[in-house]
């Protein structure tokens, strides 16, 4: 039985901080954010929003767009790394909110859990729910997989310029209009690491920025190697000599903690794939320098990062490599459209890969590309750490879904925060009743109880 993504919807908070305002306040060169990281605006949650209401707002949208009733949904999973409870799963809050609209008990039949593995857990949730459908357990129902996060870093830290917030929901079924997952090729890699983590009770993560960048690329590459083996074993793709697996992906969506991380990761993967091929000689000639190697090629990530001479040369080599015509063609055709939304919204942790997929569909369609039958590869990464590589093929019904995508109108009237407003929100100085926007037709957080008996209980309403 087939399984895949039938539709996709997003919910992005309407407050944002502009990269130029942020850079000025922190004494940074705005070009570092805009060109160096690919960050123009970062979406920020209002005082009456949390990751559960972002998720519920996205779910309501996809249900209304598709005229779905709760009876049509058999599973609702929420993947997040912004959990606010150690036991009660975020999907229970989401169900509670949706039942305010669809009626008490209307989702009673629906199963689901909250999944956690930093930014990769949404990909595991998609995989598990696709398998639920493939196993014919769904009884004609669809699954909703919601990825929802608030990417928030300590004030003044280097991560602060890579924040964002929002939610993406995907409707999964056995006759997907948008994308059918390729069966039996999903591949993973996993390793106990401390590149980025958030200990109990801490609102913001502890981050080893450059280490996390490098680990991301290494882990995704390992998962890509495993994917390649499965593709060859299953015969899904016929590889000719001189081909790389990436030649057989029309689009490549990467996890986007900031949009240029997608560029960095693609360059890393392409470079490692091409190194084995006859075309590499020609590329090296165009670059005009030898590919640098670290002093200790078998060393740890720390030893490579500490090898200043290598890092400088490697940086120079990468820059030249990404300027070669052959690489530029791959970048423009396979990745560039996926980066547009990230630049305008920022990091969504679990949701950022799927915001990128959504962005790629909309902007490739606008270019006039016929998406039917195109193979889409996904490179998912979660700190701590695990990567997943999988793929799918765009289906005949795609146009019905993609023609209505309009990021600008979905973002709506955004409000540019002043630095003071942003800092008050960041430091949790405002309570829900002091929200900056009075939203309509949305779920909002009203109250979090603080008394001994019911501490942590959250109350939400649907603003008519
Ligand atoms: N003009 C133009 N470009 C500039 C510039 C300037 N004035 N100054 C710097 N740049 C460029 C740099 O050359 C660099 O480009 P390259 O990557 O091509 O080399 C880029 O801007 C960033 O500069 P730095 O690497 O010096 O930036 P930094 O070290 O201060 O911070 C960061 C970058 C490490 C990503 C930091 O923002 C951070 O820690 N972020 C959070 C962690 C993170 O996002 N990790 C990603 C992998 S882990 C993951 O993906 C999970 C997740 O979602 C968090």
């Amino acid at each position: 039985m087939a399984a895949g993504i039938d539709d996709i919807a997003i919910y992005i908070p309407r407050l944002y901080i502009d990269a130029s305002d942020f850079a000025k306040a922190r004494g940074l060169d705005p070009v570092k954010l805009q060109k160096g990281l690919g960050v123009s605006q970062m979406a920020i949650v209002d005082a009456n929003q949390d990751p559960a209401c972002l998720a519920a707002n996205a779910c309501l949208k996809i249900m209304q767009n598709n005229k779905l009733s709760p009876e049509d949904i058999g599973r609702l999973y929420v993947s997040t790394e912004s959990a606010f409870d150690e036991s009660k799963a975020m999907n229970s809050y989401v169900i509670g909110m949706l039942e305010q609209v669809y009626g008490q008990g209307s989702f009673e039949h629906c199963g689901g859990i909250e999944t956690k593995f930093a930014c990769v857990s949404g990909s595991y949730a998609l995989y598990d729910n696709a398998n639920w459908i493939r196993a014919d357990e769904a009884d004609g129902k669809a699954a909703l997989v919601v990825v929802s996060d608030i990417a928030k870093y300590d004030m003044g830290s280097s991560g602060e310029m890579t924040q964002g917030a929002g939610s993406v929901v995907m409707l999964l079924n056995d006759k997907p209009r948008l994308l059918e997952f390729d069966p039996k090729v999903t591949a993973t890699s996993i390793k106990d690491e401390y590149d980025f983590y958030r200990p109990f009770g801490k609102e913001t993560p502890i981050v080893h920025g450059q280490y996390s960048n490098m680990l991301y690329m290494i882990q995704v590459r390992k998962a890509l190697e495993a994917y390649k083996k499965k593709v060859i074993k299953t015969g899904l793709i016929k590889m000719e000599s001189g081909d790389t697996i990436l030649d057989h992906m029309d689009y490549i969506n990467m996890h986007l903690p900031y949009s240029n991380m997608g560029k960095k990761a693609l360059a890393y993967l392409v470079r490692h794939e091409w190194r084995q091929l006859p075309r590499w000689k020609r590329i090296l000639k165009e670059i005009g320098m030898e590919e640098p190697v670290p002093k200790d090629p078998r060393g740890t990530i720390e030893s490579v990062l500490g090898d200043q001479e290598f890092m400088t040369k490697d940086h120079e080599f990468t820059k030249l490599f990404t300027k070669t015509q052959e690489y530029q063609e791959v970048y423009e055709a396979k990745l560039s459209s996926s980066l547009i939304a990230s630049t305008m919204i920022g990091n969504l942790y679990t949701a950022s890969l799927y915001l990128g997929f959504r962005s790629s569909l909309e902007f490739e369609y606008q270019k006039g590309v016929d998406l039917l039958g195109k193979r889409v590869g996904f490179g998912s990464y979660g700190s701590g750490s695990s990567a997943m590589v999988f793929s799918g093929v765009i289906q005949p019904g795609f146009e019905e879904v993609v023609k209505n995508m309009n990021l600008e109108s979905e973002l709506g009237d955004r409000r540019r925060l002043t630095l003071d407003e942003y800092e008050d929100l960041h430091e949790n100085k405002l309570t829900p009743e002091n929200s900056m926007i009075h939203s309509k037709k949305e779920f909002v957080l009203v109250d979090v109880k603080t008394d001994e008996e019911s501490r942590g209980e959250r109350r939400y309403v649907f603003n008519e």
Side-chain angles (χ1 to χ4, degrees):
M1 189 177 271
I5 303 174
D6 184 75
D7 195 8
I8 182 164
I10 59 173
Y11 177 83
I12 307 296
R14 274 180 288 147
L15 302 177
Y16 74 95
I17 180 96
D18 197 82
S20 53
D21 299 341
F22 178 84
K24 194 169 162 204
R26 296 284 177 270
L28 296 166
D29 180 354
V31 186
K32 172 170 178 176
L33 274 81
Q34 281 151 4
K35 293 259 177 333
L37 295 162
V39 175
S40 297
Q41 287 112 23
M42 297 181 269
I44 302 290
V45 278
D46 207 336
N48 60 354
Q49 293 183 310
D50 68 8
C53 59
L54 304 184
N57 284 323
C59 286
L60 185 62
K61 225 187 230 187
I62 209 164
M63 289 192 62
Q64 290 178 339
N65 289 349
N66 290 282
K67 299 192 174 47
L68 295 171
S69 77
E71 272 307 312
D72 299 318
I73 309 298
R75 275 183 158 201
L76 191 151
Y77 270 50
V78 180
S79 303
T80 185
E81 55 178 304
S82 314
F84 40 70
D85 195 286
E86 310 296 358
S87 170
K88 186 172 155 61
M90 199 176 286
N91 54 330
S92 63
Y93 301 83
V94 174
I95 295 281
M97 280 181 257
L98 291 174
E99 288 193 347
Q100 288 186 33
V101 172
Y102 290 99
Q104 193 79 27
S106 53
F107 279 87
E108 215 172 50
H109 59 279
C110 187
I113 51 166
E114 174 189 311
T115 69
K116 173 172 72 182
F117 202 136
C119 308
V120 74
S121 65
S123 305
Y124 279 95
L126 276 184
Y127 182 54
D128 291 355
N129 280 285
N131 286 335
W132 172 71
I133 293 167
R134 286 174 179 139
D136 207 6
E137 294 264 358
D139 200 17
K141 294 191 193 303
L144 288 178
V145 173
V146 204
V147 275
S148 185
D149 266 308
I150 298 172
K152 179 171 178 176
Y153 294 85
D154 284 337
M155 225 146 78
S157 69
S158 70
E160 198 193 5
M161 55 195 168
T162 61
Q163 299 184 116
S167 178
V168 176
V169 59
M170 285 157 284
L171 178 70
L172 267 59
N173 63 24
D174 60 353
K175 290 182 196 64
R177 285 172 297 169
L178 209 47
L179 178 110
E180 185 182 319
F181 294 125
D182 288 327
K184 299 187 167 94
V185 291
T186 296
T188 53
S189 74
I190 195 161
K191 188 163 187 262
D192 178 14
E193 285 278 3
Y194 277 99
D195 55 325
F196 168 113
Y197 60 104
R198 186 166 70 86
F200 280 157
K202 194 171 180 314
E203 198 194 11
T204 49
I206 295 171
V207 190
H208 305 293
Q210 298 301 346
Y211 187 97
S212 70
N213 280 349
M214 192 172 282
L215 185 62
Y216 164 136
M217 296 190 286
I218 293 170
Q219 290 289 49
V220 174
R221 188 177 160 219
K222 283 187 183 159
L224 182 68
E225 286 299 325
Y227 171 86
K228 215 183 325 182
K229 283 192 187 128
K230 286 188 161 187
V231 160
I232 292 165
K233 194 172 160 197
T234 57
L236 178 78
I237 295 170
K238 299 274 172 275
M239 304 260 291
E240 304 288 330
S241 97
D243 279 1
T244 97
I245 190 71
L246 301 176
D247 298 335
H248 295 270
M249 291 176 177
D250 301 294
Y251 293 106
I252 301 171
N253 289 294
M254 302 299 303
H255 167 52
L256 300 174
Y258 48 96
S259 88
N260 281 9
M261 186 65 217
K263 285 189 190 172
K264 259 171 124 72
L266 181 72
Y268 180 88
L269 295 179
V270 171
R271 184 174 149 188
H272 285 279
E273 285 292 311
W274 286 5
R275 193 184 282 137
Q276 331 292 334
L277 306 178
R279 68 183 93 163
W280 192 238
K281 264 193 183 157
R282 196 174 58 242
I283 305 247
L284 280 182
K285 210 169 158 203
E286 197 181 332
I287 292 174
M289 75 184 268
E290 281 300 308
E291 189 173 19
V293 276
K295 278 192 195 95
D296 179 4
R298 294 183 167 272
T300 59
I301 294 180
E302 285 96 339
S303 77
V304 173
L305 288 172
D307 186 344
Q308 278 306 325
E309 195 186 330
F310 165 75
M311 289 304 288
T312 310
K313 279 202 179 131
D314 195 62
H315 194 255
E316 190 189 342
F317 184 88
T318 306
K319 287 270 167 253
L320 293 169
F321 172 65
T322 54
K323 287 194 177 116
T324 60
Q325 197 189 329
E326 278 178 82
Y327 176 77
Q328 273 296 316
E329 279 168 15
V330 172
Y331 165 73
E332 278 303 328
K334 302 188 186 210
L335 182 81
S336 62
S337 292
S338 72
L339 306 181
I340 298 170
S342 166
T343 306
M344 296 159 72
I345 294 166
N347 191 4
L348 308 187
Y349 288 160
T350 50
S352 69
L353 172 64
Y354 299 101
L355 180 69
F357 173 49
R358 162 71 168 67
S359 176
S360 168
L361 291 170
E362 178 175 339
F363 295 107
E364 285 298 299
Y365 182 72
Q366 275 182 20
K367 275 190 204 166
V369 177
D370 181 9
L371 297 171
L372 179 61
K374 298 271 191 266
R375 173 158 280 119
V376 184
F378 294 83
S380 187
Y381 175 68
S383 293
S385 69
S386 177
M388 182 184 280
V389 170
F390 58 101
S391 56
V393 174
I394 306 276
Q395 297 299 297
F398 81 90
E399 196 154 14
E400 202 182 315
V401 181
V402 177
K403 69 175 186 218
N404 297 322
M405 289 181 171
N406 186 329
L407 187 63
E408 286 277 341
S409 81
E410 283 201 70
L411 289 175
D413 288 333
R414 300 176 91 188
R415 180 169 156 197
R416 183 174 180 161
L417 292 167
T418 65
L419 229 288
D420 286 343
E421 286 173 331
Y422 156 72
E423 292 193 354
D424 283 350
L425 283 166
H426 189 283
E427 296 305 289
N428 305 322
K429 288 192 182 149
L430 306 180
T431 50
E433 63 271 21
N434 303 123
S435 70
M436 300 202 180
I437 292 181
H438 298 287
S439 49
K440 291 220 169 81
K441 305 270 178 221
E442 282 184 11
F443 296 107
V444 291
L445 175 69
V446 188
D447 178 40
V448 185
K449 293 207 174 131
T450 51
D451 60 291
E452 188 78 18
E453 283 295 292
S454 48
R455 191 176 143 211
E457 256 184 46
R458 286 172 184 244
R459 205 160 60 80
Y460 301 91
V461 294
F462 184 67
N463 269 349
E464 286 295 346

